[in-house]
Amino acid sequence: MNEEKIVTKNLSLYYGTNQALKNVSIDITEKKITALIGPSGCGKSTFLRTLNRLNDTIDHVKLEGEVRIDGIDIYDKRVDVVSLRRRVGMIFQKSNPFPKSVYENIAYGPRINGITSRKELDVIVESNCIRAAIWDEVKDRLNESATGLSGGQQQRVCIARALAVDPEILLMDEPASALDPISTAKIEELMFDLKKNLTIVIVTHNMQQAARVSDKCAFFLLGEIIEYNKTSSMFTTPEKTETQNYISGRFG
């Protein structure tokens, strides 16, 4: 029996006077991949950023409703945002390795969390490169700058960097949109492997990708969830006309 890892209730978000999310209520299951789909500007990435409080960094943002992880309201004043973001990792659309060596990229999080032993860091770097399916490609390049790698390799280094602090949840904002088909396939294979231990939420514009990788799918339109269901059901027998129109390519 899978538990709900993330629960949002009547979640609304405003950028100034513009309402970007409208009463979004969703239960996201532990150790599954949930895809957020919908046309550009419909609130998918905004919603994703509410799950690790990244919208806190933007001025004039107002949030109403609840976001709970393991039953705890993450917007409670007592919640430490740094430790929250350690539990809820984020992978962005454009790979963003630090201008440091591959090794230092992956060791960065463990270091700032107090791990200083070189032996321990070596183990963390290697094991997370293996988890991110990048070890064979970088094991002889650990001291080279991560920015010299290909786009697909950089993205997997960023995934290894996120995994190195042992998160429970991984948020992925179109992680393969800038990548070639081979790199995209590697990222998708990696997601299947990671969901044995992690809850993954992915924003994607690619319908085929959503159909391939996700267990459940949420269709966003104009800041609202129109439909949320098992991916297999949504792609074969969507309940709402808007979902049918979007999935079949009539708009978006």
PDB file of all heavy atoms in Angstrom, residues 14 89 145 172 188 206:
ATOM      1  N   TYR A  14      -0.350  33.703  -5.679  1.00  0.00           N
ATOM      2  CA  TYR A  14      -0.479  34.978  -6.412  1.00  0.00           C
ATOM      3  C   TYR A  14       0.900  35.594  -6.606  1.00  0.00           C
ATOM      4  O   TYR A  14       1.699  35.641  -5.667  1.00  0.00           O
ATOM      5  CB  TYR A  14      -1.340  35.977  -5.622  1.00  0.00           C
ATOM      6  CG  TYR A  14      -2.732  35.497  -5.311  1.00  0.00           C
ATOM      7  CD1 TYR A  14      -2.965  34.636  -4.243  1.00  0.00           C
ATOM      8  CD2 TYR A  14      -3.819  35.923  -6.076  1.00  0.00           C
ATOM      9  CE1 TYR A  14      -4.245  34.196  -3.945  1.00  0.00           C
ATOM     10  CE2 TYR A  14      -5.114  35.491  -5.777  1.00  0.00           C
ATOM     11  CZ  TYR A  14      -5.308  34.626  -4.722  1.00  0.00           C
ATOM     12  OH  TYR A  14      -6.580  34.185  -4.436  1.00  0.00           O
ATOM     13  N   GLY A  89      14.841  17.617  -3.332  1.00  0.00           N
ATOM     14  CA  GLY A  89      15.813  18.068  -4.324  1.00  0.00           C
ATOM     15  C   GLY A  89      15.138  18.596  -5.576  1.00  0.00           C
ATOM     16  O   GLY A  89      13.980  18.285  -5.846  1.00  0.00           O
ATOM     17  N   SER A 145      36.450  20.343 -14.897  1.00  0.00           N
ATOM     18  CA  SER A 145      35.265  21.177 -14.663  1.00  0.00           C
ATOM     19  C   SER A 145      34.007  20.494 -15.210  1.00  0.00           C
ATOM     20  O   SER A 145      34.006  19.981 -16.330  1.00  0.00           O
ATOM     21  CB  SER A 145      35.431  22.531 -15.349  1.00  0.00           C
ATOM     22  OG  SER A 145      34.214  23.253 -15.234  1.00  0.00           O
ATOM     23  N   MET A 172      11.565  17.594 -10.774  1.00  0.00           N
ATOM     24  CA  MET A 172      12.278  17.715 -12.048  1.00  0.00           C
ATOM     25  C   MET A 172      11.467  18.607 -12.986  1.00  0.00           C
ATOM     26  O   MET A 172      10.356  18.257 -13.368  1.00  0.00           O
ATOM     27  CB  MET A 172      12.503  16.331 -12.656  1.00  0.00           C
ATOM     28  CG  MET A 172      13.176  15.353 -11.705  1.00  0.00           C
ATOM     29  SD  MET A 172      13.456  13.706 -12.417  1.00  0.00           S
ATOM     30  CE  MET A 172      15.129  13.861 -12.997  1.00  0.00           C
ATOM     31  N   GLU A 188      15.354   9.165 -18.515  1.00  0.00           N
ATOM     32  CA  GLU A 188      14.111   8.425 -18.241  1.00  0.00           C
ATOM     33  C   GLU A 188      14.402   7.089 -17.564  1.00  0.00           C
ATOM     34  O   GLU A 188      13.719   6.706 -16.610  1.00  0.00           O
ATOM     35  CB  GLU A 188      13.316   8.230 -19.535  1.00  0.00           C
ATOM     36  CG  GLU A 188      12.727   9.536 -20.059  1.00  0.00           C
ATOM     37  CD  GLU A 188      11.932   9.371 -21.351  1.00  0.00           C
ATOM     38  OE1 GLU A 188      11.732   8.219 -21.796  1.00  0.00           O
ATOM     39  OE2 GLU A 188      11.503  10.397 -21.910  1.00  0.00           O
ATOM     40  N   ASN A 206       6.352  17.057 -22.927  1.00  0.00           N
ATOM     41  CA  ASN A 206       6.414  15.954 -23.880  1.00  0.00           C
ATOM     42  C   ASN A 206       5.399  14.875 -23.478  1.00  0.00           C
ATOM     43  O   ASN A 206       5.600  14.160 -22.501  1.00  0.00           O
ATOM     44  CB  ASN A 206       7.855  15.419 -23.853  1.00  0.00           C
ATOM     45  CG  ASN A 206       8.094  14.307 -24.840  1.00  0.00           C
ATOM     46  OD1 ASN A 206       7.227  13.490 -25.085  1.00  0.00           O
ATOM     47  ND2 ASN A 206       9.295  14.271 -25.386  1.00  0.00           N
TER      48      ASN A 206
END
